[in-house]
């Protein structure tokens, strides 16, 4: 298992490389101080650290590689209603292209009301408008529920919910400007507003991109499966209002390994799969918390 020290050192080194690249790039705009090719060395090192350390297998093992993967943790779904899966661990691990921040088995889900494309449906991607208000997306404000009986260990809902990045120009800005800025800001700027639950058995559930000011729980609170925690938002490194859910083996996402999950009566929906999470499916898990094998 990659040590906590190595992970923290790697994260610090990556941020320093990125800062160095930006500093050299800006300096060369005004003063011919560095050879042009030298400017790109820290950027290359940043990419090598990110894709090397963060993609390597650590304490958990992806399905389809040598060695058995951990048994998935059985929980309820964090939402109710009709949703679509994106960046799912059912298709690949790490699901988001990196193991950083404990998200090897993370999943993104967006609300997809029925029938489509009636008013209230999720807006599509295109050239115009450049950005949309969050109220245009049916996921915004949707309630988030505890996936098991648990203890709240961390909350943060002070960051703003920004406009969508669901046009081509906005997505370019998102990756080339905003994404780099949030990387320099660290984990909090990436995951946005969030809540972390201790499910027991060294298993922690993280809900990211929560709506500003919506959390109804605080650290130390005991919650029951199906209890509302807050609302879906669009904070942090997010292109549109959606739920980012993941399980980890430690409370600090900067050093945690991701853990596989399966939602009761749903499983792990694949990319593009639409699923229905019923309130009854949440209620059935009351009193039970499954830990990794």
């Amino acid at each position: 298992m990659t040590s906590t020290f190595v992970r923290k050192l790697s994260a610090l080194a990556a941020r320093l490389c990125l800062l160095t690249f930006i500093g050299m790039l800006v300096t060369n705009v005004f003063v011919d101080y560095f050879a042009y090719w030298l400017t790109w060395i820290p950027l290359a090192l940043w990419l090598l650290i990110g894709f090397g350390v963060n993609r390597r297998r650590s304490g958990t093992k992806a399905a389809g590689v040598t060695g058995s993967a951990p048994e998935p943790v059985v929980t309820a779904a964090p939402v109710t209603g009709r949703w679509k899966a994106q960046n799912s661990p059912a298709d690949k691990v790490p699901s988001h292209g990196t193991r950083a921040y404990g998200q090897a088995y993370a999943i993104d889900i967006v609300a997809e009301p029925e029938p489509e494309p009636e008013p209230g449906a999720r807006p599509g991607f295109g050239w115009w408008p450049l950005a949309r208000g969050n109220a245009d997306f049916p996921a915004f404000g949707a309630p988030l529920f505890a996936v098991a009986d648990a203890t709240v260990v961390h909350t943060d809902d002070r960051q703003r919910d920004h406009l969508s990045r669901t046009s081509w120009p906005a997505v370019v800005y998102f990756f080339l400007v905003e994404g780099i800025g949030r990387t320099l800001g660290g984990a909090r700027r990436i995951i946005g507003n969030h809540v972390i639950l201790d499910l027991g058995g060294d298993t922690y559930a993280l809900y990211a991109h929560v709506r500003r000011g919506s959390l109804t729980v605080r650290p130390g609170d005991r919650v029951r499966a199906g209890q509302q925690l807050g609302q879906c938002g669009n904070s942090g490194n997010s292109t549109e209002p959606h739920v980012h859910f993941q399980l980890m083996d430690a409370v600090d996402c900067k050093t945690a390994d991701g853990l596989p999950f399966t939602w009761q009566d749903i499983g792990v929906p694949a990319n593009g799969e639409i699923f229905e999470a019923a309130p009854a499916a949440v209620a059935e898990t009351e009193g039970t918390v499954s830990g990794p094998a």
Side-chain angles (χ1 to χ4, degrees):
M1 179 181 292
T2 306
S3 69
T4 298
F5 173 76
V6 170
R7 293 186 189 200
K8 289 185 176 180
L9 186 62
S10 299
L12 177 61
R15 291 168 73 180
L16 287 175
C17 287
L18 186 55
L19 278 172
T20 301
F21 165 70
I22 294 173
M24 294 174 71
L25 197 64
V26 171
T27 299
N28 269 5
V29 171
F30 301 99
V31 181
D32 189 14
Y33 191 79
F34 301 102
Y36 183 76
W37 64 271
L38 286 175
T39 305
W40 301 98
I41 292 178
L43 179 64
L45 289 174
W46 172 61
L47 292 172
L48 284 173
I49 294 172
F51 284 93
V53 175
N54 291 331
R55 285 187 63 86
R56 67 187 292 184
R57 183 161 65 250
S58 47
T60 56
K61 297 180 180 180
V65 297
T66 303
S68 59
E71 288 296 321
V73 181
V74 181
T75 73
V79 295
T80 60
R82 191 172 185 266
W83 294 74
K84 178 191 287 186
Q86 297 180 335
N87 300 317
S88 171
D91 292 85
K92 67 173 183 176
V93 176
S95 58
H96 286 57
T98 177
R99 295 179 183 273
Y101 309 126
Q103 57 184 334
Y105 297 92
I107 191 170
D108 293 331
I109 55 175
V110 292
E112 288 281 8
E114 192 177 18
E116 300 173 321
E118 293 296 316
R122 175 171 161 252
F125 186 89
W127 286 98
W128 193 264
L130 294 178
R132 294 178 181 270
N134 290 313
D136 290 345
F137 295 84
F140 189 70
L144 304 175
F145 301 102
V147 295
D149 293 351
T151 300
V152 179
V153 291
H154 186 76
T155 59
D156 182 352
D157 66 352
R158 295 169 293 170
Q159 300 179 64
R160 70 182 180 88
D161 294 285
H162 54 72
L163 297 175
S164 73
R165 311 289 189 245
T166 50
S167 68
W168 289 109
V171 142
V172 171
Y173 163 79
F174 174 78
F175 282 109
L176 298 184
V177 179
E178 185 176 7
I180 292 176
R182 290 190 182 281
T183 298
L184 291 173
R188 180 174 179 266
R189 296 301 180 186
I190 295 291
I191 63 179
N193 299 323
H194 57 282
V195 57
I196 301 176
L197 305 181
D198 182 354
L199 308 187
D202 294 324
T203 304
Y204 299 84
L206 182 148
Y207 304 64
H209 314 309
V210 174
R211 184 178 184 179
R212 184 179 189 176
S214 71
L215 290 178
T216 58
V217 294
R218 291 294 177 262
D221 290 352
R222 282 289 298 172
V223 295
R224 301 286 291 173
Q227 179 178 331
Q228 184 170 342
L229 306 173
Q231 297 176 8
C232 172
N234 193 34
S235 57
N237 207 50
S238 169
T239 57
E240 68 175 272
H242 73 282
V243 178
H244 173 108
F245 175 82
Q246 67 187 52
L247 295 184
M248 314 176 292
D249 65 358
V251 67
D252 186 354
C253 69
K254 295 188 294 296
T255 58
D257 275 326
L259 295 173
F261 70 89
T262 184
W263 288 331
Q264 197 170 52
D265 299 328
I266 296 172
V268 184
N271 284 345
E273 180 180 341
I274 294 178
F275 64 93
E276 190 87 27
V282 175
E284 287 171 6
T285 65
E286 285 197 355
T288 62
V289 180
S290 300

